Amino acid sequence: MSKDAPVFIQEIIKTSSDMWQKGWAEANGGNISLRLKPEKMGNAPELRPKSEWFTLEKALPGLAGEKFLVSGTGKFLRNISLFPEKNVGVVELDGAGARYRLLWGFEPDGRPTSELEAHLRTHEAVKEASNDVMHAVIHTHAPNLIALSYALELTTETLTKLLWQSHAECVVGFPGGIEFIPWMMAGSPEIAEATATALRVRPLAVWQFHGVFGTGRNLDAAFGIIDMADKAAQIYLMARSTGRIACTLNTDQVRRIAANFKVVPDAAALAADTSAFFA
Ligand code: 2HA
Ligand code: ZN
């Protein structure tokens, strides 16, 4: 990274490198967006309009005037640390939240991620639902969660409870559960809408056969919650690959962990029957 690189890219450099190290970001897989806090950008003289306005599929008035750091379409997350100005960029929404333009990066002629609609619709939903706390959205191809979507027929409730039962911290990390979104075309308005709706109430959504979307107050938090869920899936798959699962955290133990950490687990997920997964 050049030493005069702007301060607002430091967080995405760490997160994208961590994602590559984890094996979550093959080739151009995955994408990242961060809603920029004005106070964190300093006076950011680099941010100047450098494109025409592009119209979004759906106007997002809740994001009017917001700026986002976004990974570029077709770009490799593993290259962000080497050449941030080529692989990420900053976009700004207009006063109606209906159009965006480029302010920085995407050199020389790049554009934001193909999943921009899903990212921005999710940002609008979680900004409102979290009272402005949530700032980060990550989409990634976390391999254990993907493998789980091949190995088992899942619902939101059974996936949630399976992960809570497979790793004792999960009910504390995501008491609201993890949404299961049956296969839809990536990059489509339909999957963007389903993802944004789900993430209004849960921090994570699995896309069947494809990957996961996670949110957080910053990129570290979004990365961490995905890591926790993917590790729970890995633990389950490792135990299952022995040929037999002898025992698991039961419903009462999950409930007691939640009570101990003063979180309220999603009631429908806690009531789900996952016994077939542990047979
Ligand atoms: O290639 O991950 O879902 C980027 C993606 C699309
Ligand atoms: Zn993807």
PDB file of all heavy atoms in Angstrom, residues 28-31 114-115 139 141 186 207 210, ligand 1:
ATOM      1  N   ASN A  28     -12.583 -13.901  -7.580  1.00  0.00           N
ATOM      2  CA  ASN A  28     -13.321 -12.661  -7.296  1.00  0.00           C
ATOM      3  C   ASN A  28     -14.483 -12.904  -6.337  1.00  0.00           C
ATOM      4  O   ASN A  28     -15.400 -12.092  -6.247  1.00  0.00           O
ATOM      5  CB  ASN A  28     -13.831 -12.033  -8.591  1.00  0.00           C
ATOM      6  CG  ASN A  28     -14.805 -12.948  -9.313  1.00  0.00           C
ATOM      7  OD1 ASN A  28     -14.645 -14.177  -9.267  1.00  0.00           O
ATOM      8  ND2 ASN A  28     -15.793 -12.389  -9.969  1.00  0.00           N
ATOM      9  N   GLY A  29     -14.466 -14.036  -5.613  1.00  0.00           N
ATOM     10  CA  GLY A  29     -15.565 -14.369  -4.713  1.00  0.00           C
ATOM     11  C   GLY A  29     -15.654 -13.419  -3.531  1.00  0.00           C
ATOM     12  O   GLY A  29     -14.646 -13.038  -2.942  1.00  0.00           O
ATOM     13  N   GLY A  30     -16.871 -13.058  -3.191  1.00  0.00           N
ATOM     14  CA  GLY A  30     -17.133 -12.242  -2.011  1.00  0.00           C
ATOM     15  C   GLY A  30     -17.013 -10.750  -2.282  1.00  0.00           C
ATOM     16  O   GLY A  30     -16.407 -10.323  -3.273  1.00  0.00           O
ATOM     17  N   ASN A  31     -17.619  -9.988  -1.404  1.00  0.00           N
ATOM     18  CA  ASN A  31     -17.573  -8.530  -1.531  1.00  0.00           C
ATOM     19  C   ASN A  31     -17.864  -7.888  -0.174  1.00  0.00           C
ATOM     20  O   ASN A  31     -18.435  -8.522   0.708  1.00  0.00           O
ATOM     21  CB  ASN A  31     -18.545  -8.028  -2.619  1.00  0.00           C
ATOM     22  CG  ASN A  31     -19.706  -8.978  -2.832  1.00  0.00           C
ATOM     23  OD1 ASN A  31     -20.624  -8.997  -2.030  1.00  0.00           O
ATOM     24  ND2 ASN A  31     -19.623  -9.809  -3.875  1.00  0.00           N
ATOM     25  N   SER A 114     -20.955  -6.636  -8.038  1.00  0.00           N
ATOM     26  CA  SER A 114     -22.210  -7.087  -8.659  1.00  0.00           C
ATOM     27  C   SER A 114     -23.323  -7.269  -7.621  1.00  0.00           C
ATOM     28  O   SER A 114     -24.489  -7.377  -7.979  1.00  0.00           O
ATOM     29  CB  SER A 114     -21.973  -8.423  -9.380  1.00  0.00           C
ATOM     30  OG  SER A 114     -21.501  -9.403  -8.457  1.00  0.00           O
ATOM     31  N   GLU A 115     -22.947  -7.328  -6.352  1.00  0.00           N
ATOM     32  CA  GLU A 115     -23.950  -7.487  -5.294  1.00  0.00           C
ATOM     33  C   GLU A 115     -24.281  -6.143  -4.629  1.00  0.00           C
ATOM     34  O   GLU A 115     -24.767  -6.107  -3.494  1.00  0.00           O
ATOM     35  CB  GLU A 115     -23.455  -8.487  -4.220  1.00  0.00           C
ATOM     36  CG  GLU A 115     -23.036  -9.846  -4.740  1.00  0.00           C
ATOM     37  CD  GLU A 115     -24.197 -10.715  -5.233  1.00  0.00           C
ATOM     38  OE1 GLU A 115     -25.355 -10.256  -5.188  1.00  0.00           O
ATOM     39  OE2 GLU A 115     -23.921 -11.840  -5.690  1.00  0.00           O
ATOM     40  N   HIS A 139     -20.263 -10.104   2.229  1.00  0.00           N
ATOM     41  CA  HIS A 139     -20.719 -11.323   1.564  1.00  0.00           C
ATOM     42  C   HIS A 139     -19.490 -12.165   1.283  1.00  0.00           C
ATOM     43  O   HIS A 139     -18.497 -11.662   0.749  1.00  0.00           O
ATOM     44  CB  HIS A 139     -21.439 -10.999   0.253  1.00  0.00           C
ATOM     45  CG  HIS A 139     -21.588 -12.200  -0.632  1.00  0.00           C
ATOM     46  ND1 HIS A 139     -22.273 -13.330  -0.247  1.00  0.00           N
ATOM     47  CD2 HIS A 139     -21.103 -12.474  -1.866  1.00  0.00           C
ATOM     48  CE1 HIS A 139     -22.211 -14.232  -1.207  1.00  0.00           C
ATOM     49  NE2 HIS A 139     -21.501 -13.746  -2.201  1.00  0.00           N
ATOM     50  N   HIS A 141     -17.852 -16.528   0.645  1.00  0.00           N
ATOM     51  CA  HIS A 141     -18.101 -17.926   0.324  1.00  0.00           C
ATOM     52  C   HIS A 141     -17.483 -18.797   1.417  1.00  0.00           C
ATOM     53  O   HIS A 141     -16.498 -19.500   1.178  1.00  0.00           O
ATOM     54  CB  HIS A 141     -17.546 -18.241  -1.063  1.00  0.00           C
ATOM     55  CG  HIS A 141     -18.145 -17.388  -2.150  1.00  0.00           C
ATOM     56  ND1 HIS A 141     -17.609 -17.272  -3.404  1.00  0.00           N
ATOM     57  CD2 HIS A 141     -19.271 -16.620  -2.152  1.00  0.00           C
ATOM     58  CE1 HIS A 141     -18.365 -16.461  -4.133  1.00  0.00           C
ATOM     59  NE2 HIS A 141     -19.370 -16.043  -3.389  1.00  0.00           N
ATOM     60  N   ALA A 186     -27.844 -15.109  -7.777  1.00  0.00           N
ATOM     61  CA  ALA A 186     -26.983 -14.087  -7.171  1.00  0.00           C
ATOM     62  C   ALA A 186     -27.044 -12.819  -8.010  1.00  0.00           C
ATOM     63  O   ALA A 186     -27.166 -12.873  -9.234  1.00  0.00           O
ATOM     64  CB  ALA A 186     -25.550 -14.598  -7.087  1.00  0.00           C
ATOM     65  N   TRP A 207     -26.957 -18.059   1.939  1.00  0.00           N
ATOM     66  CA  TRP A 207     -27.514 -18.281   0.602  1.00  0.00           C
ATOM     67  C   TRP A 207     -27.207 -19.739   0.234  1.00  0.00           C
ATOM     68  O   TRP A 207     -26.031 -20.115   0.107  1.00  0.00           O
ATOM     69  CB  TRP A 207     -26.843 -17.376  -0.436  1.00  0.00           C
ATOM     70  CG  TRP A 207     -27.200 -15.928  -0.394  1.00  0.00           C
ATOM     71  CD1 TRP A 207     -28.038 -15.286   0.478  1.00  0.00           C
ATOM     72  CD2 TRP A 207     -26.720 -14.914  -1.300  1.00  0.00           C
ATOM     73  NE1 TRP A 207     -28.097 -13.947   0.189  1.00  0.00           N
ATOM     74  CE2 TRP A 207     -27.292 -13.693  -0.904  1.00  0.00           C
ATOM     75  CE3 TRP A 207     -25.859 -14.927  -2.391  1.00  0.00           C
ATOM     76  CZ2 TRP A 207     -27.039 -12.497  -1.581  1.00  0.00           C
ATOM     77  CZ3 TRP A 207     -25.592 -13.737  -3.057  1.00  0.00           C
ATOM     78  CH2 TRP A 207     -26.192 -12.538  -2.660  1.00  0.00           C
ATOM     79  N   HIS A 210     -24.210 -21.194  -1.992  1.00  0.00           N
ATOM     80  CA  HIS A 210     -23.416 -20.050  -2.461  1.00  0.00           C
ATOM     81  C   HIS A 210     -22.567 -19.397  -1.368  1.00  0.00           C
ATOM     82  O   HIS A 210     -21.361 -19.222  -1.557  1.00  0.00           O
ATOM     83  CB  HIS A 210     -24.361 -19.018  -3.099  1.00  0.00           C
ATOM     84  CG  HIS A 210     -23.654 -17.832  -3.684  1.00  0.00           C
ATOM     85  ND1 HIS A 210     -23.956 -17.291  -4.905  1.00  0.00           N
ATOM     86  CD2 HIS A 210     -22.636 -17.059  -3.211  1.00  0.00           C
ATOM     87  CE1 HIS A 210     -23.154 -16.270  -5.166  1.00  0.00           C
ATOM     88  NE2 HIS A 210     -22.357 -16.109  -4.143  1.00  0.00           N
TER      89      HIS A 210
HETATM   90  O1  2HA B   1     -18.130 -12.730  -7.408  1.00  0.00           O
HETATM   91  O2  2HA B   1     -19.381 -13.372  -4.679  1.00  0.00           O
HETATM   92  O3  2HA B   1     -21.917 -13.339  -5.395  1.00  0.00           O
HETATM   93  C1  2HA B   1     -18.611 -11.989  -6.369  1.00  0.00           C
HETATM   94  C2  2HA B   1     -19.651 -12.757  -5.674  1.00  0.00           C
HETATM   95  C3  2HA B   1     -20.995 -12.761  -6.248  1.00  0.00           C
END
